[in-house]
Amino acid sequence: MLMIALIVLSSILMSSRTLRRRLHHGDVGGESRQHFETSGIDSLSEPLLGEHDYSERLSALEDIWDDKKKEQFHWTFLFSQLIAQWAQWLANIVLGSGSLIGRLVSLPSTVINRENNRILPPSLSPLQQERHRNLRQRLEVPFDSSKTEHQDALKQLWTLAYPDRKLPGLKSELWKEMGWQGVDPSTDFRGGGFISLENLIFFAQKYPESFQRLLHKDNGIRAEWEYPFAIAGINISFMLAQMLDLQAEIPSSSTGIRFLHLLEQDEMAFDNLYCVAFEMMDAQWLAKRASYMEFNDVLKATRTQLERELALEDISSVKDLPAYNLLR
């Protein structure tokens, strides 16, 4: 019985690797996959967007989707979710307390605490310790509108977002066009902290085409009541800090521990993961045909999908995630 189970497991693993590689290289179904078009972070326990008082008017979405956009979302999400579900299922087989293999196989690098189903992390390398400490220090910096450095960062974001437009004052109605709530963007950071502004700037610099496309909502059939771009970005920074268990001195969640390995390979792994998460959130938004009041549901779905992709085998950097291919 054990031999049969091992043979079946081996076969499924090989199939999963093959399909994972085909997805990563864009070869799905014989065709090339096409791109489609929140003081400190600890202070809040819920996303920010749902707390704001906007108009209660909701507008109906178009009933008919462009066939090309449908096909693009279909292939990306179908195969990405399928592979992630396989990974979860295989993990349950290997690690499940009631399975035969789970009783015979143990992980050398991690220990599972059966009382709360948390993972006791292995010892961190000096490089992991340093980069994790630096990231936590970034998370603890609140946005301070009295600091010249923070003012300059806001101005830099405007210049990156609208290179051909005159820079407004730090308080202006024009900031609303970027997706801030009012005339003063500094009042919107709260639980996001200064790192959420750094994330937006990194996105605009590293992936300008994706940044501009999401800023201007260029893809798909959009809701008339769209999510505000800048506020959404703050939410994503906040969500990632929670998901990766970064408030802890050493993460004890499986996702947080996996992220430490990515951080060891890339000091900017958090910022790069932020960009992937923003693209993934927008893709979920379009796939669900969502409108403003559904933003938090979309953010939760984004977190679930991101956790699944981080659990995939052979993920050694953010660039190995299937959703990374959404970035341009």
Side-chain angles (χ1 to χ4, degrees):
M1 180 66 68
L2 175 59
M3 183 61 68
I4 294 175
L6 289 173
I7 292 173
V8 172
L9 178 59
S10 176
S11 176
I12 295 174
L13 281 170
M14 290 177 64
S15 299
S16 176
R17 289 192 189 99
T18 301
L19 186 54
R20 167 73 174 78
R21 292 190 184 101
R22 292 179 64 196
L23 175 62
H24 179 67
H25 292 290
D27 180 16
V28 178
E31 300 178 3
S32 294
R33 191 181 65 176
Q34 301 178 18
H35 294 295
F36 57 86
E37 333 242 357
T38 97
S39 76
I41 204 79
D42 299 335
S43 62
L44 296 179
S45 60
E46 294 293 335
L48 304 178
L49 197 55
E51 299 178 2
H52 303 320
D53 183 17
Y54 281 82
S55 168
E56 296 184 355
R57 179 178 61 86
L58 292 173
S59 59
L61 294 173
E62 298 281 346
D63 293 329
I64 301 176
W65 273 54
D66 178 82
D67 290 339
K68 183 177 180 181
K69 292 296 183 292
K70 275 187 176 181
E71 181 180 359
Q72 291 167 334
F73 281 110
H74 170 76
W75 285 116
T76 299
F77 279 94
L78 177 62
F79 283 93
S80 179
Q81 291 177 2
L82 177 61
I83 292 173
Q85 289 170 1
W86 278 4
Q88 279 193 332
W89 180 67
L90 290 173
N92 289 335
I93 293 176
V94 174
L95 299 176
S97 59
S99 70
L100 177 60
I101 300 175
R103 291 195 295 268
L104 297 176
V105 180
S106 62
L107 292 178
S109 59
T110 59
V111 178
I112 298 178
N113 185 334
R114 297 298 182 184
E115 293 182 359
N116 54 18
N117 204 30
R118 303 283 278 181
I119 296 178
L120 303 179
S123 299
L124 302 185
S125 70
L127 184 58
Q128 283 177 314
Q129 291 178 349
E130 178 185 359
R131 290 182 173 179
H132 182 248
R133 181 173 59 251
N134 292 341
L135 180 55
R136 292 187 72 228
Q137 288 174 350
R138 289 177 62 194
L139 289 166
E140 293 170 358
V141 178
F143 181 87
D144 187 345
S145 60
S146 68
K147 290 186 176 181
T148 302
E149 176 189 357
H150 294 196
Q151 295 174 2
D152 290 343
L154 263 179
K155 296 175 183 178
Q156 182 183 9
L157 178 62
W158 176 274
T159 302
L160 290 167
Y162 307 108
D164 299 326
R165 297 177 61 181
K166 182 181 178 180
L167 178 69
L170 293 176
K171 294 181 181 180
S172 170
E173 289 285 339
L174 294 176
W175 287 102
K176 294 181 181 179
E177 296 181 22
M178 193 187 294
W180 302 98
Q181 290 187 97
V183 300
D184 184 3
S186 66
T187 62
D188 289 337
F189 286 98
R190 295 188 296 168
F194 185 59
I195 194 172
S196 58
L197 178 54
E198 291 179 318
N199 291 153
L200 284 166
I201 292 173
F202 179 89
F203 191 13
Q205 290 177 325
K206 187 71 177 289
Y207 307 102
E209 186 177 346
S210 288
F211 179 90
Q212 290 293 331
R213 179 163 40 81
L214 298 188
L215 170 65
H216 296 291
K217 308 293 196 305
D218 288 339
N219 271 13
I221 304 298
R222 317 296 308 205
E224 289 186 15
W225 200 9
E226 278 285 312
Y227 65 84
F229 177 81
I231 296 297
I234 294 177
N235 275 261
I236 292 170
S237 298
F238 178 80
M239 178 270 287
L240 285 178
Q242 286 192 321
M243 184 188 81
L244 301 175
D245 201 16
L246 294 178
Q247 296 88 348
E249 289 189 13
I250 300 179
S252 57
S253 67
S254 58
T255 304
I257 293 172
R258 189 65 180 271
F259 173 72
L260 290 179
H261 295 294
L262 306 186
L263 192 61
E264 187 171 28
Q265 300 301 318
D266 176 14
E267 187 174 9
M268 304 306 293
F270 183 83
D271 302 77
N272 279 304
L273 190 62
Y274 169 89
C275 300
V276 173
F278 213 137
E279 277 280 14
M280 186 182 290
M281 183 278 296
D282 189 75
Q284 290 274 2
W285 176 271
L286 291 174
K288 293 177 180 294
R289 304 186 183 186
S291 189
Y292 179 85
M293 296 303 292
E294 298 169 281
F295 178 82
N296 285 344
D297 292 333
V298 171
L299 196 62
K300 290 177 182 177
T302 301
R303 172 172 175 164
T304 298
Q305 180 64 19
L306 197 55
E307 288 173 332
R308 288 175 176 172
E309 293 202 5
L310 285 168
L312 293 173
E313 60 175 326
D314 299 332
I315 299 296
S316 59
S317 72
V318 174
K319 293 183 179 181
D320 292 331
L321 297 172
Y324 181 80
N325 293 298
L326 297 172
L327 289 168
R328 303 180 192 178

